[in-house]
Amino acid sequence: MGIFVTPDYHFELTTDHTSYLFNVLESGDLGHVYYGPKLAWPNYANLEANEFRMVMPVLRPDTPEFSLDNLKQEYPSYGHGDFRYPAYQITYPDGSRISEFQYDHYAIVRGKTALPHFPSAFSDGDQDDVETLTVYLEDKTAKLSLALNYSVFPHQDVIVRSAAFTNTGTGSVTLDAAGSFAVDLPSSCFDLYQLSGAWARERHLYHRPLTRGIQSVSSTRNSSSAQQNPFIALGSKQIDDANGAVYGFSLIYSGSFLAQAEVDYYDTTRVTMGINPFDFVWQLAPEESFQTPEGILTYSDQGWNGMSDNFHQFLTHHLLPQRWVNQDRPILINNWEATYFNFNEEKLVALGEKAKALGIELLVLDDGWFGKRNDATTSLGDWEANLAKLPNGLAGLSKKIHGLGLKFGLWFEPEMVSQESNLYKAHPDWVIHVPNRRMTPSRNQFVLDFSRTEVIDYLYRAMSQAIQEAQLDYIKWDMNRHITELYSLALPPEREKELGYRYIQGVYQLYERLTTAFPDVLFESCASGGGRFDPGLLYYAPQAWTSDDTDAMERLKIQWGTSLVYPLSTMGAHVSAVPNHQTRRITSLKTRAEVAYFGLLGYELDITKLSLADETTIKDQIRFYKTHRTLLQHGKFIRLVSPYANDGNVTAWMVISPDGTEAIAARYQVLAEPNPDYHWLKFTGLDPQAVYTINGQGQYGGDELMSAGLFIPQLFDIRKARDPSFDQKHSFDFSSALFLIKRVAPR
Ligand code: DGJ
């Protein structure tokens, strides 16, 4: 039983390893009690810790120790004595901003149904022990009701929370802020971790100690963004990959968000997360409801691997499209870095022929196939084949690619329009902009107003037609700029601040219509690389292009950071040419592939120009990946050595099969070292009682591999340099090694 309610209204939410407790306070507000390791017998008086302090506002003189100022709260409001930042804020028609939501009743149901037309968690009906509690509160004066939803996913140690406001009165009210959840933790003895970056440097891991006051991570870009991912974690001071307490928080939303930790005057830490209240206001008319996006809360005392496994299992089983989730994903060739805009049908067919010979399964035709697009200045919005490049149209090309025995995929950037396009000429009003104000192009393009149904309808028609014409198997949905001059010509003035949220709803709507009409088309999301890699989009598109930065060494940090929340089955990872197009670094084909194996393998280089040796190497790589694909895409991912630790010179990670019989580990070293220290690689997650071989050699006890580790010989024995047969140009920088670990016998 995941949810239990005591007769005096203490709500106990229990997962396999955690407890989440809250209660109805004597004032009718909801108080937060505890979130953390599972408690068998909570002592509520102890956990609530309610005592008199000087200078605190009290609701009733006869209970001087009862103040919202110092109590932990569940979904706090502003104005009745709690001076910390609230979870929501409402302005009433008389200009007042004081809300009084008081407990009314609750309901518990088995399972969790997805929210209509919005990305959200779901359960497998009766089969997975998921339960949902909704606590209803009423503000009788304002005639508003508030439903707080809690779904308990016991086996992933996850609780999903959201809030829904309903106006049961006769006048409109204004929602100025509507967070998805708040949780008050009793101390600030944590570091705040975040995944931040920029284009080509997405999701690097940063941390800072929590300190009194507010620390936050947010986006104002109307996109979750490469700059900040909608994720924060509070990690204990001693955390490492395998040990230590950590709270992880994420949001099923792709627009502007705010994640905040506020440490108050008594060392309590309030975490809130949701739609960014900056530039957001929602008019809640009579009989209307506003449902917030869902927040994901998890706790683990098993360090980063514990937290990320909770996220991975949860996203895999309860958020990603189940049509794709357990399917092995195709190895693809993408023509972007192979040709950029400079291709024609002949070139694509040549790429396809070589791809087939190498063992590749899907050809993705990237940007430049439509309108008159030969560079980044024109044609976005005109989703019809460029006949100068593709004289037989999409159908003709697709027939040839399919005829080779390959799947065929196409790039779109549906949310955008170029000024030089038929679409712009026909519908200049569909562009997000403010009349008589400067318009700010980015990559020469503007953003379509996705709050307008006619825009979604147009794109649905255009994309459906292309899907049918080309019999598409795959779509890469790109998004290459953030919104400026946020304003819709279709919304009334008082609703303009709803546009950011309505825009993202439009994106979800188009995804929903397309994925429903074409369930067999695999979608990959993209935003100048990994600029919108978030749980919201993963609900529709089970994979995302991780980063435009394909340099193997750079990818270590990007893929490591990404993997903290997102499973390997979501991360596009391509082998590209050297010198690398983003860094000019030269790494070996071996290292490039051994990084890309830990994700969804693709190739993004001109494979028609390979040397014979590289061709043979790539064939072997693809054979290797296919042999181990299920393990590499769907195995349990475990981080071993962090690129963010020490000097970052060594990174190591592994995947292990669910039954523990096989694992593949990789160790990467950025720079070679002369006469190095002795290195050992310690594995995690093996059976201490079992015996393993590594790369078919030796016999090692699981206990030894985990406690002492595997000895890693130096990369370069100095005597080799004096050997005349040694390739004097060989570099040991940017090296990688794979370890195939097989259980041979229980001891
Ligand atoms: C940005 C993407 O990240 C690239 O992979 C490529 O699709 C380009 N856009 C095309 O314009």
Side-chain angles (χ1 to χ4, degrees), residues 449-463:
D449 183 351
F450 261 50
S451 72
R452 297 174 74 145
T453 315
E454 61 272 36
V455 173
I456 309 292
D457 286 345
Y458 165 78
L459 287 159
Y460 177 73
R461 276 196 307 274
M463 290 175 77

Side-chain angles (χ1 to χ4, degrees), residues 94-116:
D94 64 359
S96 68
R97 279 112 37 234
I98 302 301
S99 297
E100 275 172 24
F101 284 105
Q102 300 203 302
Y103 174 76
D104 194 69
H105 67 288
Y106 72 88
I108 297 174
V109 294
R110 265 201 92 86
K112 157 81 171 75
T113 37
L115 300 172

Side-chain angles (χ1 to χ4, degrees), residues 381-392:
D382 298 347
W383 300 110
E384 279 166 11
N386 177 343
L387 295 178
K389 286 178 176 175
L390 307 176
N392 300 305

Side-chain angles (χ1 to χ4, degrees), residues 199 202 334 336-337 340-341 366-368 373 376 380 411-413 443 445 476 478-480 526-531 545 547-549 574 604:
W199 174 78
E202 297 91 338
N334 180 307
W336 180 241
E337 287 198 7
Y340 294 105
F341 292 104
D366 211 281
D367 195 354
R373 189 149 166 107
L380 291 169
W411 178 98
F412 289 90
E413 200 179 355
R443 211 197 188 207
Q445 63 200 49
K476 177 176 173 184
D478 204 347
M479 192 281 290
N480 283 302
C526 172
S528 303
W545 180 221
S547 176
D548 275 350
D549 189 347
H574 298 177
E604 191 164 334

Side-chain angles (χ1 to χ4, degrees), residues 19 166 210 221 225 238 266 268 316 337 344 347 408 447 508 515 543-544 550 564 665 698 702 704 708 726:
S19 295
T166 302
L210 280 186
R221 296 167 183 267
S225 85
Q238 266 75 47
Y266 297 125
T268 299
T316 300
E337 287 198 7
N344 56 23
K347 178 71 194 176
F408 181 49
V447 186
Y508 293 147
T515 51
Q543 56 190 70
T550 50
L564 276 173
E704 179 181 324
F726 179 70

Side-chain angles (χ1 to χ4, degrees), residues 233-245:
L234 299 188
S236 57
K237 296 287 174 185
Q238 266 75 47
I239 192 165
D240 61 29
D241 288 317
N243 306 290

Side-chain angles (χ1 to χ4, degrees), residues 344-617:
N344 56 23
E345 184 185 284
E346 204 183 326
K347 178 71 194 176
L348 296 169
V349 173
L351 280 173
E353 281 165 351
K354 183 46 69 80
K356 183 65 192 170
L358 294 172
I360 288 170
E361 299 153 323
L362 160 70
L363 182 136
V364 178
L365 171 51
D366 211 281
D367 195 354
W369 60 266
F370 49 90
K372 299 192 178 69
R373 189 149 166 107
N374 294 315
D375 56 33
T377 59
T378 75
S379 303
L380 291 169
D382 298 347
W383 300 110
E384 279 166 11
N386 177 343
L387 295 178
K389 286 178 176 175
L390 307 176
N392 300 305
L394 283 179
L397 172 64
S398 146
K399 208 164 157 211
K400 290 189 180 163
I401 301 299
H402 282 136
L404 294 171
L406 291 173
K407 292 179 187 300
F408 181 49
L410 213 51
W411 178 98
F412 289 90
E413 200 179 355
E415 295 153 78
M416 300 295 155
V417 62
S418 310
Q419 226 155 7
E420 211 183 308
S421 67
N422 297 332
L423 182 66
Y424 189 92
K425 278 180 205 116
H427 299 287
D429 58 319
W430 284 8
V431 175
I432 290 183
H433 74 289
V434 184
N436 306 319
R437 296 273 181 202
R438 237 168 22 205
M439 285 171 74
T440 311
S442 177
R443 211 197 188 207
N444 314 297
Q445 63 200 49
F446 294 99
V447 186
L448 290 169
D449 183 351
F450 261 50
S451 72
R452 297 174 74 145
T453 315
E454 61 272 36
V455 173
I456 309 292
D457 286 345
Y458 165 78
L459 287 159
Y460 177 73
R461 276 196 307 274
M463 290 175 77
S464 300
Q465 196 170 331
I467 293 171
Q468 280 157 340
E469 207 177 310
Q471 293 292 297
L472 291 183
D473 303 294
Y474 163 107
I475 284 180
K476 177 176 173 184
W477 177 322
D478 204 347
M479 192 281 290
N480 283 302
R481 66 157 293 176
H482 295 134
I483 303 178
T484 51
E485 295 90 30
L486 183 65
Y487 186 81
S488 169
L489 296 185
L491 284 173
E494 70 279 10
R495 290 201 178 265
E496 281 296 343
K497 283 192 172 182
E498 297 176 6
L499 181 56
Y501 182 77
R502 288 179 181 274
Y503 175 88
I504 286 294
Q505 264 187 325
V507 172
Y508 293 147
Q509 214 181 94
L510 184 57
Y511 259 114
E512 184 165 303
R513 286 175 67 177
L514 289 169
T515 51
T516 307
F518 304 101
D520 294 333
V521 177
L522 171 63
F523 280 74
E524 175 155 349
S525 77
C526 172
S528 303
R532 210 165 51 177
F533 202 131
D534 60 58
L537 283 193
L538 287 174
Y539 179 77
Y540 298 105
Q543 56 190 70
W545 180 221
T546 309
S547 176
D548 275 350
D549 189 347
T550 50
D551 176 87
M553 294 298 102
E554 292 285 306
R555 274 292 181 124
L556 295 175
K557 286 190 165 173
I558 295 170
Q559 291 180 201
W560 180 283
T562 306
S563 78
L564 276 173
V565 181
Y566 308 99
L568 297 194
S569 74
T570 63
M571 289 164 48
H574 298 177
V575 172
S576 60
V578 288
N580 177 269
H581 292 197
Q582 292 75 40
T583 60
R584 306 305 295 165
R585 185 175 288 132
I586 295 178
T587 56
S588 70
L589 197 49
K590 173 179 183 300
T591 298
R592 279 174 274 157
E594 289 181 0
V595 174
Y597 288 160
F598 292 82
L600 303 171
L601 179 66
Y603 287 80
E604 191 164 334
L605 72 172
D606 191 348
I607 49 175
T608 64
K609 296 193 177 136
L610 294 175
S611 69
L612 215 59
D614 283 355
E615 208 175 302
T616 311
T617 307

